[in-house]
Amino acid sequence: MLVLLPPSEGKAAGGSGAPLDPGSLSLPGLAGARAAVLEELVELCSGDELKAREVLGLSEGLRGEVAKNAALRGAVARPAGEVYTGVLYDALGLAELPAPARALAERSLLVFSGLWGAVRVTDRIPSYRCSMGVKLPGLGALGAHWRTPMASVMPQAAGDGLVLDLRSSAYASAWKPKGETAGRTATVRVLHAQVVDGVEKRSVVSHFNKATKGRLVRDLLLAGAVPGSPAELLTALRDLGYTVEAEAPAKPAKAWSLDVVVSQIH
């Protein structure tokens, strides 16, 4: 099982330890593309601050992120599972997982990133600010920048088991499973069901979408579940008490879409 996660906008900073070693990161086939983004991001943020904030979509209150990006090469690196924070990662609670679930997380989770392409939760990275939606002056849109290297690296990373794709659309643009891999891929949508005037109405949630996905992954890890296909994932989630609706795609080389239906959002 390979679980594809989005990163978080906010990231934990500080701590102690050695700086970034790009050669130590997983998926070494992405090394060249990583070096190109890192070089341009550092150069951008070492120059005109206003231009850097405009390119990165940062407000005045986030101007400190520019200086942080400029110093990336010498910044303290920590495991990505500690760097990424926010709703999904709070619900996932990697630090509190017992050893067997934590080991499964280290094997199964892959976090997509505008700067690094994708990293394991054990990969040591510094805190940074660079979303997949950014268009760097020299490289252009990062989603497009990553597509070619991802196309060569990700099929091997996906192996022959389930690919559980929980990425947001911006990060999904960097790699779309194709062919036989697509047939083993499942995406998840979280729907909030409410009864209004005796009629059930459903809506897509945002903040709680992230929290539900984090809890869903946590529950799979705690159960030691390693479904090998979307159909097995559907069974595993229902066994864990989730209300899930899904239909097998009409064509074998298409991803499954699963709807997780919740009545309470928290």
Side-chain angles (χ1 to χ4, degrees), residues 89-175:
Y89 292 91
D90 286 346
L92 175 55
L94 282 173
E96 292 79 37
L97 289 175
R102 178 67 188 229
L104 181 56
E106 292 174 356
R107 296 194 304 270
S108 304
L109 306 186
L110 196 64
V111 185
F112 271 61
S113 162
L115 174 53
W116 313 116
V119 292
R120 301 281 184 183
V121 293
T122 51
D123 285 334
R124 297 180 62 84
I125 59 172
S127 178
Y128 66 96
R129 191 76 174 221
C130 184
S131 70
M132 190 66 80
V134 163
K135 294 182 179 180
L136 291 175
L139 294 178
L142 289 179
H145 170 76
W146 285 111
R147 280 179 204 140
T148 297
M150 285 287 183
S152 64
V153 166
M154 284 304 299
Q156 182 178 357
D160 58 3
L162 169 73
V163 178
L164 175 53
D165 190 352
L166 302 180
R167 298 172 297 168
S168 56
S169 58
Y171 291 90
S173 70
W175 179 64

Side-chain angles (χ1 to χ4, degrees), residues 5 17 19-20 64 71 127 153 207 222 240 244:
L5 298 175
L20 169 71
S127 178
V153 166
H207 175 91
L222 287 172
L240 289 169
V244 188

